[in-house]
Amino acid sequence: MNASFPTPGADATQRLLSHEELEAALRDIGARRYHNLHPFHRLLHDGKLSKDQVRAWALNRYYYQAMIPVKDAAVLARLPDASLRRIWRQRIVDHDGDHEGDGGIERWLKLAEGVGFARDYVLSTKGILSATRFSVDAYVHFVSERSLLEAIASSLTEMFSPTIISERVAGMLKNYDFITKETLAYFDKRLTQAPRDADFALDYVKHHATTPELQRAAMDALTFKCNVLWTQLDALYFAYVAPGLVPPDAWQPGEGLA
Ligand SMILES: O=C(O)c1cc(C(=O)O)c2c(n1)C(=O)C(=O)c1cc(C(=O)O)[nH]c1-2
């Protein structure tokens, strides 16, 4: 057990939880730690950010998008049978697409271009915050190094993403005149992809976390992942909202635009 990911309510691991109790415990982690609660997201959705601050979000989050299929390829490589791989490989297709110009990464590039960036600048990732890179890379390392159960459990933040995505799309369309439905097209597909992926992962976790210790490991993995998401927003807030200290070499407003 890794002591660096403590989860409140540790007494819940004294006995084996039923599937329903385990699901409730996992949802409770999201209710307390998911990134919908972060002040940066509140500002983003409520129309309180400047165009440059929205640009900083789009630019940094590109790295998360670009690394998700790398993360999923690491999980895929560890899955022991074809029936599981057949299901998991769909995640890679969703992000990489089946051909040039298709898939979630491409749709995120459209979002970044929609707020003014030059495509090549976004692709280069040279303007992203180090904290973005470190957090996302930590997620890739986590799924490569921890147990398969922990790797799959760490994707369970997707149980909570449809709510924040709906809120974000509605809020951004209403509050920013530079945001259009086309710019946010990335999120349309996530509303069906995320529940499908989360249902599979939740079912896997319920059936493979067969001891109190394994259930605790799954909960800790979800907590870790919430922290991966939260840390990225902390870094954005510090650099581009308050106190507004942009680290050397990170994107400065005006750079990388088309
Ligand atoms: O917009 C969001 O708030 C949000 C959150 C998450 C998440 O909870 O990890 C994902 C996504 N979006 C997303 O678009 C996505 O492709 C995705 C993949 C994963 C994952 O862990 O495998 N999470 C998420």
Side-chain angles (χ1 to χ4, degrees), residues 34-36 41 45 57 61 64-65 68-69 71-72 75 88 91 94-95 104 108 139 143 151-166 168 186-187 190 193-194 197 222 225-226 228-229 232-233:
Y34 192 52
H35 66 177
N36 64 317
H41 267 155
H45 303 165
W57 167 76
R61 173 139 171 192
Y64 184 63
Q65 298 304 140
I68 285 290
K71 180 277 290 188
D72 284 321
V75 177
W88 205 271
R91 294 173 178 245
D94 288 344
H95 288 275
W108 197 273
Y139 185 26
V143 306
I152 291 178
S154 66
S155 75
L156 283 175
T157 46
E158 284 196 280
M159 288 197 291
F160 319 122
S161 70
T163 308
I164 190 178
I165 287 174
S166 304
R168 181 183 302 135
Y186 170 80
F187 294 111
R190 290 311 301 167
Q193 292 168 348
D197 292 348
L222 179 57
K225 170 65 174 309
C226 286
V228 164
L229 297 174
Q232 292 174 65
L233 297 175

Side-chain angles (χ1 to χ4, degrees), residues 82-216:
S83 60
L84 293 175
R85 287 196 298 275
R86 221 176 282 128
I87 292 168
W88 205 271
R89 75 184 181 204
Q90 185 58 43
R91 294 173 178 245
I92 300 176
V93 174
D94 288 344
H95 288 275
D96 286 346
D98 268 327
H99 51 81
E100 202 68 35
D102 182 36
I105 295 179
E106 184 60 37
R107 281 190 289 278
W108 197 273
L109 284 166
K110 292 269 170 7
L111 188 156
E113 288 177 302
V115 297
F117 279 111
R119 182 186 175 90
D120 284 349
Y121 182 76
V122 180
L123 279 169
S124 77
T125 75
K126 65 182 179 205
I128 68 169
L129 298 164
S130 295
T132 303
R133 198 179 297 281
F134 296 157
S135 307
V136 172
D137 290 354
Y139 185 26
V140 179
H141 293 149
F142 185 91
V143 306
S144 310
E145 290 159 10
R146 297 302 188 94
S147 67
L148 192 51
L149 173 69
E150 289 167 294
I152 291 178
S154 66
S155 75
L156 283 175
T157 46
E158 284 196 280
M159 288 197 291
F160 319 122
S161 70
T163 308
I164 190 178
I165 287 174
S166 304
E167 184 187 309
R168 181 183 302 135
V169 170
M172 290 183 77
L173 282 175
K174 176 164 166 261
N175 294 315
Y176 299 107
D177 58 9
F178 56 90
I179 294 288
T180 65
K181 226 178 150 353
E182 293 67 49
T183 313
L184 299 183
Y186 170 80
F187 294 111
D188 295 346
K189 289 222 192 303
R190 290 311 301 167
L191 289 173
T192 45
Q193 292 168 348
R196 177 206 65 202
D197 292 348
D199 285 352
F200 173 81
L202 183 59
D203 192 64
Y204 183 96
V205 167
K206 282 177 176 174
H207 287 94
H208 290 79
T210 49
T211 66
E213 292 73 24
L214 291 174
Q215 290 186 334
R216 169 54 50 194

Side-chain angles (χ1 to χ4, degrees), residues 51-74:
K51 188 168 185 179
D52 279 328
Q53 290 168 327
V54 175
R55 283 174 172 150
W57 167 76
L59 179 71
N60 277 272
R61 173 139 171 192
Y62 170 75
Y63 189 65
Y64 184 63
Q65 298 304 140
M67 293 303 282
I68 285 290
V70 175
K71 180 277 290 188
D72 284 321

